[in-house]
Amino acid sequence: MADRDSKGAVRTITDLARLAGVSPGTVSRALAGKSLVNAKTREKIEGLAREHGFRPNQMASGLRRQKTGVIGVVIPLGHDTRQQISDTFFMTLLGFLADELTSEGYDLMLRRVVPGTDPDWLDRFIGSGMIDGAIVIGQSDQYDRIEDVADGYGPLVVWGNHTEGQRHCVVGTDNRLGGRMAAERLIAAGARRIAFLGDTTAIEFAARFAGAQDVAQRMGADIIALPTHLSPERAGEEIAAHLAAHAGVIDGIFAATDTLAALALTTLRERGVAVPDAIKLVGFDDLPIARQTVPPLTTIRQDIAAGARGLVDLLLRRLAGETTESLILPPELIVRETA
Amino acid sequence: MADRDSKGAVRTITDLARLAGVSPGTVSRALAGKSLVNAKTREKIEGLAREHGFRPNQMASGLRRQKTGVIGVVIPLGHDTRQQISDTFFMTLLGFLADELTSEGYDLMLRRVVPGTDPDWLDRFIGSGMIDGAIVIGQSDQYDRIEDVADGYGPLVVWGNHTEGQRHCVVGTDNRLGGRMAAERLIAAGARRIAFLGDTTAIEFAARFAGAQDVAQRMGADIIALPTHLSPERAGEEIAAHLAAHAGVIDGIFAATDTLAALALTTLRERGVAVPDAIKLVGFDDLPIARQTVPPLTTIRQDIAAGARGLVDLLLRRLAGETTESLILPPELIVRETA
DNA sequence: ATTCCTGTTGCAAACGTTTGCAAGAACGCT
DNA sequence: AGCGTTCTTGCAAACGTTTGCAACAGGAAT
């Protein structure tokens, strides 16, 4: 139907106007569904448009209207360059974001940046003129830079951790509370010497650790942080080394992520350590994998779908000129069999 | 540094030109690194640009140059509307694609479409003028439509299955061969009555099943297809039902996906069926989860990173005007402990 | 001094839409 | 017939870049 072959391909609104015997302006109005165009002309134009498979050029439209209908989504790869972008959690969030944005009529432009090599990443993206607003997935170690930019640019929402008095609008789980819940569970299950697996230079993880510390201190338990990268390749070895080094002394593990928890679980099995009998284990996220490990993971659930909805909702409101508060989602303890 | 505050914000190339005391054209040439501009003028312009945090508007540039620097990535959600976009395999592929495209200087525009409700999805995306080329992730049940479009549009590459005489350029694993390898392994391990778990209306899965059939027939084993959706929620029940219905008669399972295999594994455990003693199991993909199940999955590996590289490489060549052949990647049998 | 380069610059016309403004048409009213 | 409405439409100026063409300057060669 869309005649790619016939002599005069209809590429522009002007072509279509000539065909319909009207002016480009009228075609534009007809296609945009404005009320100021006669019903019959509109029908004719729409018919021709359909017949020739015509689609208005979004670049031109964007330029003229000074809005693009595109939302930028950035994943800053702060510490763990290689991993993050295929991290299950972020990817799932991205999937939900795509759904939400699509159903609001926006397109999604995905950009992966390495802040180390490009300190200007956020300004560059925002200033490109290609996007109406931006969502940053994960603060990584770029908290300060985001703060800087947020002052001068409205339509920006960030997934991550909320800190007292911060200026950028964030959506995220209450990580500190989540950390508390994890530690409480571990201690209730009998653990007294707890290890935290994760990279505490990432602000979200630091908050989870801090929460666990709160509780440990209050309940008279020990807790130490064992720095662990996120990417399975590196994490595997690191966890093995940690567990070997602390064999026998640890009786509880709080993993910053279900992925790490699952890794710890297999490592423990290899070492012949019984979970939860010898060591209790709690993860974080409640990814699908949490249900599939043996035994299934006790974990702290983040509501990813709600997070995506919140991000998009807040961004749209900011796009409309509102000023919005951050949105902190409650974590939820999911008790399965590892603690 | 980027003076958002000072009276005259520098938003356009014309602003910058006025500041530098030259014409907009010269600024454009300077910033584009063309050779026809005097070294001193260039320096001055670049300095001012940096100082004011100026970035040329990509919409305008795109409109004028008739190219956008953006590659569209579409995921058609054919059968299993809800799932696919958070499917681990696709998401991982997407991650690698983002990496590859970024390092080639392209941006990535992600679009999720439901072909059922929008039969025009591919034309619409391509015709939008927003993208220089498109990558389709997964043929889903849209094979014919893709074929139609591919005739008239060059810069299009698809991830999926290759069929004899097809007209669109595809990158993908040799699914049929993968299916053969899986069946061979199952039969070598002693299985004779094999069940295939997956949705054979999806062309990739159909090919995997066909490969397995080839081998089963040749080696005198039985194989039946048990239709199973991809999304864990639905698949869980379906698998449970399948296994209950065929209890005792099946001694081998070929799962179309590691996710399904993992699900089958937990279901089998719940039913008290020993793997691999009573039932052999082979998955497909070699996702991270394959390593983490108990026992770890024997599976057919797809090289996702190579796939992404291939997709981008071919697309770039087509963008440059070459005509390219499809790229079929070899699957690899990874023997672990389930078969 | 004239001519012919070469290297830099400015001018202005695109790219394909959208939209304020004004003009025209059609109609009803007095 | 004249006037005022209400709908439709066309005109042309934007939006911010890029780029072919022409112009100009400063030398070098004659």
Side-chain angles (χ1 to χ4, degrees):
Chain A
M1 54 178 84
D3 66 339
R4 325 179 195 297
D5 33 12
S6 87
K7 51 192 180 319
V10 179
R11 303 232 55 78
T12 79
I13 226 173
T14 316
D15 296 340
L16 197 57
R18 195 175 327 113
L19 235 59
V22 296
S23 82
T26 305
V27 173
S28 171
R29 283 186 272 248
L31 261 33
K34 305 258 184 183
S35 54
L36 336 75
V37 44
N38 181 291
K40 294 193 75 164
T41 354
R42 151 163 306 130
E43 261 176 50
K44 182 173 181 185
I45 293 174
E46 279 173 346
L48 283 169
R50 213 171 312 116
E51 181 185 342
H52 292 82
F54 169 78
R55 328 224 166 274
N57 182 313
Q58 291 211 49
M59 285 265 146
S61 163
L63 178 58
R64 171 63 225 236
R65 309 207 337 264
Q66 296 291 86
K67 44 161 46 190
T68 64
V70 180
I71 298 297
V73 174
V74 214
I75 308 191
L77 271 50
H79 11 97
D80 223 339
T81 308
R82 187 62 220 170
Q83 170 57 10
Q84 231 127 314
I85 192 125
S86 47
D87 177 76
T88 311
F89 178 80
F90 283 149
M91 282 289 129
T92 310
L93 181 55
L94 180 61
F96 281 108
L97 275 178
D99 285 357
E100 290 294 327
L101 287 173
T102 306
S103 71
E104 296 287 349
Y106 280 96
D107 267 314
L108 185 163
M109 187 143 139
L110 180 63
R111 191 176 279 195
R112 157 203 183 280
V113 298
V114 184
T117 68
D118 177 14
D120 226 16
W121 59 277
L122 191 45
D123 280 301
R124 185 191 305 286
F125 200 23
I126 285 169
S128 71
M130 289 279 281
I131 58 178
D132 290 342
I135 294 176
V136 177
I137 302 192
Q139 290 144 322
S140 179
D141 50 7
Q142 298 290 304
Y143 186 91
D144 295 335
R145 177 153 296 273
I146 297 174
E147 281 284 274
D148 284 351
V149 173
D151 288 336
Y153 183 72
L156 174 70
V157 182
V158 179
W159 171 269
N161 196 68
H162 181 81
T163 336
E164 204 57 49
Q166 103 183 19
R167 272 134 42 216
H168 64 264
C169 179
V170 82
V171 174
T173 305
D174 188 335
N175 287 297
R176 187 141 190 169
L177 174 56
R180 277 202 284 269
M181 293 165 68
E184 275 164 7
R185 177 71 196 177
L186 285 170
I187 293 172
R192 287 298 172 272
R193 290 175 308 279
I194 303 173
F196 175 79
L197 255 35
D199 174 6
T200 49
T201 63
I203 191 167
E204 295 99 317
F205 297 160
R208 291 173 198 174
F209 179 57
Q213 273 182 312
D214 294 347
V215 171
Q217 198 167 355
R218 174 153 49 83
M219 321 247 300
D222 290 337
I223 183 164
I224 53 169
L226 304 179
T228 314
H229 286 89
L230 230 57
S231 49
E233 307 91 50
R234 285 211 267 179
E237 297 173 25
E238 290 172 341
I239 291 176
H242 287 326
L243 294 181
H246 298 78
V249 355
I250 284 173
D251 57 6
I253 296 179
F254 173 24
T257 273
D258 282 347
T259 318
L260 292 179
L263 234 35
L265 203 50
T266 53
T267 311
L268 288 170
R269 174 189 329 283
E270 283 164 12
R271 299 182 60 86
V273 180
V275 176
D277 296 338
I279 292 196
K280 328 288 175 207
L281 174 63
V282 173
F284 209 105
D285 286 347
D286 194 27
L287 299 177
I289 196 181
R291 222 174 296 219
Q292 309 235 2
T293 56
V294 186
L297 276 179
T298 293
T299 190
I300 307 295
R301 171 164 228 272
Q302 301 201 66
D303 189 341
I304 308 186
R309 251 194 320 276
L311 284 167
V312 172
D313 178 49
L314 286 182
L315 184 62
L316 260 41
R317 306 233 306 258
R318 306 196 117 231
L319 231 26
E322 281 183 54
T323 58
T324 59
E325 293 298 313
S326 289
L327 173 63
I328 309 301
L329 302 167
E332 181 189 357
L333 172 69
I334 306 288
V335 177
R336 295 207 181 87
E337 299 173 23
T338 59
Chain B
M1 53 179 85
D3 66 339
R4 322 176 197 298
D5 33 12
S6 88
K7 52 194 180 319
V10 180
R11 303 233 54 79
T12 80
I13 225 174
T14 315
D15 295 341
L16 197 57
R18 196 176 324 113
L19 235 58
V22 296
S23 80
T26 305
V27 173
S28 171
R29 282 186 273 251
L31 261 32
K34 305 257 181 180
S35 55
L36 336 76
V37 44
N38 181 291
K40 295 193 73 165
T41 353
R42 153 165 303 132
E43 261 175 49
K44 181 172 178 185
I45 293 174
E46 280 173 346
L48 282 168
R50 215 170 311 115
E51 182 186 340
H52 292 82
F54 170 78
R55 327 223 167 276
N57 181 315
Q58 291 211 48
M59 284 266 148
S61 164
L63 178 58
R64 170 63 224 236
R65 309 206 339 264
Q66 296 293 82
K67 46 162 43 193
T68 64
V70 180
I71 299 296
V73 175
V74 214
I75 308 191
L77 271 49
H79 11 97
D80 225 339
T81 308
R82 187 61 222 168
Q83 171 55 10
Q84 230 127 313
I85 191 123
S86 49
D87 178 76
T88 312
F89 178 81
F90 283 150
M91 282 289 128
T92 311
L93 181 55
L94 179 61
F96 281 108
L97 275 178
D99 284 359
E100 289 295 328
L101 287 172
T102 308
S103 73
E104 296 287 350
Y106 279 96
D107 267 312
L108 185 163
M109 186 143 142
L110 179 63
R111 191 176 279 197
R112 157 204 184 281
V113 297
V114 184
T117 68
D118 177 14
D120 226 16
W121 59 278
L122 190 46
D123 281 301
R124 186 191 303 286
F125 200 23
I126 285 170
S128 71
M130 288 280 279
I131 59 177
D132 290 342
I135 294 176
V136 178
I137 303 193
Q139 291 144 322
S140 179
D141 50 6
Q142 297 290 304
Y143 186 91
D144 295 335
R145 179 154 294 275
I146 297 173
E147 281 284 273
D148 284 351
V149 173
D151 289 335
Y153 183 71
L156 174 70
V157 182
V158 179
W159 172 270
N161 196 68
H162 181 82
T163 335
E164 203 57 49
Q166 102 184 23
R167 275 132 42 215
H168 65 265
C169 178
V170 82
V171 174
T173 305
D174 188 335
N175 288 298
R176 187 143 190 168
L177 176 55
R180 277 201 285 268
M181 294 165 70
E184 275 165 8
R185 177 70 197 178
L186 284 170
I187 293 171
R192 287 298 171 272
R193 288 176 309 279
I194 302 174
F196 174 80
L197 255 35
D199 173 7
T200 49
T201 62
I203 192 167
E204 295 99 318
F205 297 160
R208 291 174 198 174
F209 179 57
Q213 274 182 311
D214 293 348
V215 172
Q217 197 167 356
R218 174 156 46 85
M219 319 248 299
D222 290 336
I223 183 164
I224 52 168
L226 304 179
T228 313
H229 287 90
L230 231 57
S231 50
E233 305 92 50
R234 284 211 268 178
E237 299 173 23
E238 290 172 342
I239 291 177
H242 287 325
L243 294 181
H246 298 79
V249 356
I250 285 173
D251 57 6
I253 296 179
F254 173 25
T257 276
D258 282 348
T259 318
L260 292 179
L263 235 34
L265 203 50
T266 52
T267 311
L268 288 170
R269 175 189 329 282
E270 283 165 11
R271 300 181 59 87
V273 180
V275 177
D277 297 336
I279 293 194
K280 329 288 177 207
L281 174 63
V282 173
F284 209 103
D285 287 347
D286 195 26
L287 299 177
I289 195 180
R291 221 174 298 217
Q292 309 235 3
T293 56
V294 186
L297 275 180
T298 293
T299 191
I300 308 295
R301 172 166 229 273
Q302 301 200 67
D303 190 340
I304 308 186
R309 254 195 316 279
L311 283 167
V312 173
D313 178 50
L314 286 182
L315 184 62
L316 260 41
R317 307 234 302 261
R318 305 195 117 230
L319 232 25
E322 279 183 57
T323 58
T324 59
E325 293 298 313
S326 289
L327 172 64
I328 310 299
L329 302 166
E332 181 190 357
L333 173 68
I334 306 289
V335 178
R336 294 208 180 87
E337 300 172 23
T338 58

